[in-house]
Amino acid sequence: MNNDDSDREGDLGLAAKTRPKTQKPPLYKVMLLNDDYTPMEFVVHVLQRFFGVTHAQSVEIMLTVHKKGVAVVGVFSREIAETKVTQVMDYAQRNQHPLQCTMEKE
């Protein structure tokens, strides 16, 4: 066995142990926006249906939207956030309410 073979083995061992650090995917905030037309009961229903919160939690979030104009209703991966926004917007439109749901990078 010559020196060249042992050097290559050592290099291979090092390369196998060195791994690049993977970054966590960015998260996105899903938010509901206040408007003057969507009934509060509909917002409560949307929160329970699409975000799985209790009735009490949904009332609290709805009141935050009403008082502050916007509330974060969840933080998700990009794909899930996009799906939630689409579901809420489609459901609101089908029920003829102008409720707006948006997302932004956290």
Side-chain angles (χ1 to χ4, degrees):
M1 193 164 167
N2 63 29
N3 255 352
D4 291 338
D5 287 340
S6 62
D7 285 346
R8 274 187 252 146
E9 282 178 29
D11 289 344
L12 288 177
L14 239 176
K17 291 178 186 175
T18 305
R19 293 183 182 160
K21 290 185 179 181
T22 55
Q23 291 183 334
K24 290 183 181 179
L27 294 176
Y28 290 80
K29 298 184 287 189
V30 175
M31 300 168 293
L32 286 182
L33 307 177
N34 188 45
D35 65 74
D36 294 331
Y37 303 101
T38 304
M40 291 179 175
E41 296 80 20
F42 182 78
V43 175
V44 168
H45 174 71
V46 163
L47 289 164
Q48 289 177 285
R49 179 175 178 152
F50 297 106
F51 298 95
V53 295
T54 66
H55 181 75
Q57 290 169 323
S58 61
V59 168
E60 189 176 319
I61 295 167
M62 176 274 299
L63 288 172
T64 300
V65 173
H66 182 69
K67 291 175 185 172
K68 296 189 176 182
V70 65
V72 174
V73 295
V75 178
F76 308 96
S77 68
R78 181 181 183 149
E79 293 79 15
I80 294 174
E82 287 173 344
T83 300
K84 297 275 186 196
V85 169
T86 300
Q87 288 174 329
V88 170
M89 296 294 290
D90 289 349
Y91 190 69
Q93 190 173 18
R94 281 196 314 271
N95 287 276
Q96 300 178 346
H97 294 300
L99 181 64
Q100 294 293 302
C101 185
T102 62
M103 63 185 262
E104 70 180 37
K105 204 171 188 176
E106 188 173 48

